[in-house]
Amino acid sequence: QSVVTQPPSASGTPGQRVTISCSGSNSNIGSNTVNWYRQFPGTAPKLLIYSSNQRPSGVPDRFSGSKSGTSASLAISGLQSEDEADYYCSAWDDTLRGPVFGGGTKLTVL
Amino acid sequence: EVQLVESGGGLVQPGGSLKLSCAASGFAFSGFAIHWVRQASGKGLEWVGRIRSKANGYTTAFPASVKGRFAISRDDSKNTAYLQMNSLKTEDTALYYCTRLFGGDAFDIWGQGTMVSVSS
């Protein structure tokens, strides 16, 4: 059971905008930035958003992140079939003194 | 090409030991902290531990689930980090990734993972 909570699943149709939420506590999201990772089956996670709202080079601007208090969200606009994957949020936890990950959200493109 | 490559996984009996390697290439390995993250089949990501750079004293940290059983070291001359796992339990069965810490707390480079199975 993760200390950071994500919905296990999300879905949308092509072209739609979807959001994935991530809820934590004062020791993690409340006091540190949030990162998002995307993982396709059988492959390693890939950094999608860092510092809550920054995109690494090469990540399309269809992906955006935000944070407020102890919650964060990832938004994907112009949903495409290739966006179907597992998405994980993560934040440093001051109590653990290491990163904590959400349980992951499986995004399905209908 | 910037990459991390893990090796050393395998099948081990409960109570046994295994040492994983993480070989880096394409970047200045010595300047980065290296973390290990594991993923049990069909499950989420779990942080396993980290080792900082020489400039930060090569300090290590671990979560309670592996503290006292796992150790991390590195050889900057070989651009390689290691995860020594002792007193292995069945619940340690997972795909183990090494990853590079970028900025304050994001992991920007990941290896392909190496599978560890703990079973009798």
Side-chain angles (χ1 to χ4, degrees):
Chain A
Q1 192 169 348
S2 304
V3 297
V4 173
T5 304
Q6 298 178 234
S9 63
S11 63
T13 56
Q16 197 174 22
R17 181 178 186 270
V18 297
T19 61
I20 297 172
S21 63
C22 176
S23 178
S25 66
N26 288 329
S27 66
N28 42 68
I29 295 177
S31 52
N32 297 291
T33 59
V34 177
N35 309 303
W36 290 89
Y37 301 89
R38 179 174 66 181
Q39 185 179 35
F40 296 114
T43 69
K46 175 189 172 183
L47 182 63
L48 206 57
I49 296 288
Y50 67 96
S51 296
S52 300
N53 58 14
Q54 302 298 302
R55 287 185 306 276
S57 174
V59 174
D61 59 7
R62 301 189 296 108
F63 296 88
S64 62
S66 62
K67 190 193 98 163
S68 178
T70 59
S71 296
S73 64
L74 172 71
I76 308 172
S77 60
L79 196 63
Q80 301 177 4
S81 58
E82 52 262 41
D83 295 330
E84 196 162 278
D86 293 325
Y87 292 82
Y88 293 90
C89 62
S90 175
W92 200 262
D93 189 284
D94 294 336
T95 301
L96 176 65
R97 286 191 283 182
V100 287
F101 293 91
T105 298
K106 183 176 182 61
L107 176 62
T108 301
V109 181
L110 303 170
Chain B
E1 181 188 3
V2 175
Q3 65 175 357
L4 296 168
V5 178
E6 302 93 338
S7 60
L11 175 63
V12 61
Q13 292 187 336
S17 298
L18 207 58
K19 186 173 184 178
L20 308 183
S21 299
C22 170
S25 59
F27 66 96
F29 175 79
S30 62
F32 290 87
I34 297 296
H35 291 238
W36 289 87
V37 174
R38 68 185 180 185
Q39 186 172 34
S41 180
K43 302 297 185 182
L45 303 168
E46 179 188 12
W47 177 66
V48 173
R50 60 95 166 137
I51 184 166
R52 287 178 168 159
S53 65
K54 180 180 180 180
N56 289 291
Y58 292 135
T59 54
T60 58
F62 304 90
S65 58
V66 306
K67 196 170 186 178
R69 300 189 298 121
F70 288 12
I72 299 176
S73 60
R74 62 191 294 164
D75 184 339
D76 290 344
S77 69
K78 296 182 178 180
N79 290 337
T80 301
Y82 305 94
L83 176 64
Q84 176 67 50
M85 303 182 294
N86 300 322
S87 303
L88 281 162
K89 306 175 181 180
T90 56
E91 53 262 42
D92 295 319
T93 294
L95 185 62
Y96 284 72
Y97 295 103
C98 63
T99 180
R100 182 181 84 168
L101 186 69
F102 160 77
D105 58 6
F107 300 126
D108 67 334
I109 305 296
W110 296 69
Q112 84 289 351
T114 187
M115 187 67 202
V116 173
S117 296
V118 184
S119 174
S120 55

